[in-house]
Amino acid sequence: MTASITIRPASADDVPALAALKLHCFRDTFGPTGFAIPYPPADLALFEADSYGEPTVARELADPAHRTWVVQDADGALIAYVHIGPSKLPHPEREDGDGELYQLYLRREAQGAGLGKQLLDLALDELASWGRPIWIGVWQGNLKAQHVYAGRGFEIVGEYKFAVGDWRDEEFIMRRK
């Protein structure tokens, strides 16, 4: 698969496909076939519209402080993405100018081919060039992600509650100095 893919910065032309990919990956990861978090339907619907709707994705892509890269397969379909920007995590040591890895997701059929590592390397290299600490919020139940980030020098430095509507996910705050 990796021989026929392209990793590139996302553009405004990608908004519909990227919004659909973000929604698909969120549902695949946290929905019934993933971690199966029992989000109340009204909370989930509000969160999905606010977080993965085309207007939100368009704003993210237009914001010069944010960076998003997409992986496109040989047929032109988007199969993975990574999104970074200024950290907004609620931690007393976080400062303006710090970076954050917001999201890194791959469609299930794209997993296992090294694309996640490539996207993580790309994002962390960009964030490291900012010369500031790098932050990540990780759901406490996602042990695999925590392990991957710990292997990249991140440490758990706090906890917070991530809002999905009125539902609150328990998250760890991880940081790499």
Side-chain angles (χ1 to χ4, degrees):
M1 171 176 276
T2 56
S4 60
I5 58 104
T6 302
I7 299 174
R8 60 173 176 77
S11 73
D13 292 340
D14 294 315
V15 167
L18 181 56
L21 175 64
K22 285 184 170 210
L23 180 60
H24 173 86
C25 289
F26 174 79
R27 288 177 173 172
D28 210 32
T29 302
F30 297 103
T33 62
F35 289 114
I37 298 174
Y39 297 117
D43 291 323
L44 182 61
L46 177 65
F47 174 79
E48 288 179 346
D50 287 348
S51 299
Y52 305 121
E54 289 185 25
T56 299
V57 173
R59 277 192 306 277
E60 292 169 353
L61 293 181
D63 186 336
H66 289 237
R67 307 272 189 286
T68 300
W69 292 270
V70 294
V71 178
Q72 192 170 17
D73 70 12
D75 296 324
L78 299 186
I79 58 172
Y81 73 98
V82 63
H83 176 205
I84 65 170
S87 182
K88 57 188 188 301
L89 289 169
H91 191 277
E93 295 175 20
R94 186 200 54 81
E95 298 180 358
D96 290 344
D98 291 356
E100 183 177 337
L101 172 62
Y102 298 137
Q103 300 159 334
L104 186 149
Y105 287 100
L106 292 78
R107 293 181 66 93
R108 280 201 181 141
E109 60 271 19
Q111 295 175 7
L115 291 176
K117 180 185 181 316
Q118 290 179 54
L119 288 174
L120 183 58
D121 288 344
L122 181 63
L124 293 181
D125 287 350
E126 172 66 21
L127 287 165
S129 77
W130 297 7
R132 306 284 306 169
I134 303 169
W135 300 82
I136 302 173
V138 182
W139 180 57
Q140 290 183 8
N142 192 341
L143 302 178
K144 182 178 177 182
Q146 293 167 38
H147 177 76
V148 167
Y149 298 138
R152 296 302 187 92
F154 285 86
E155 298 176 309
I156 295 173
V157 295
E159 299 179 11
Y160 78 113
K161 296 186 184 304
F162 181 84
V164 177
D166 289 331
W167 178 278
R168 297 294 183 263
D169 279 339
E170 300 289 330
E171 301 247 338
F172 286 126
I173 297 173
M174 301 183 79
R175 177 184 61 204
R176 185 172 89 178
K177 292 186 175 182

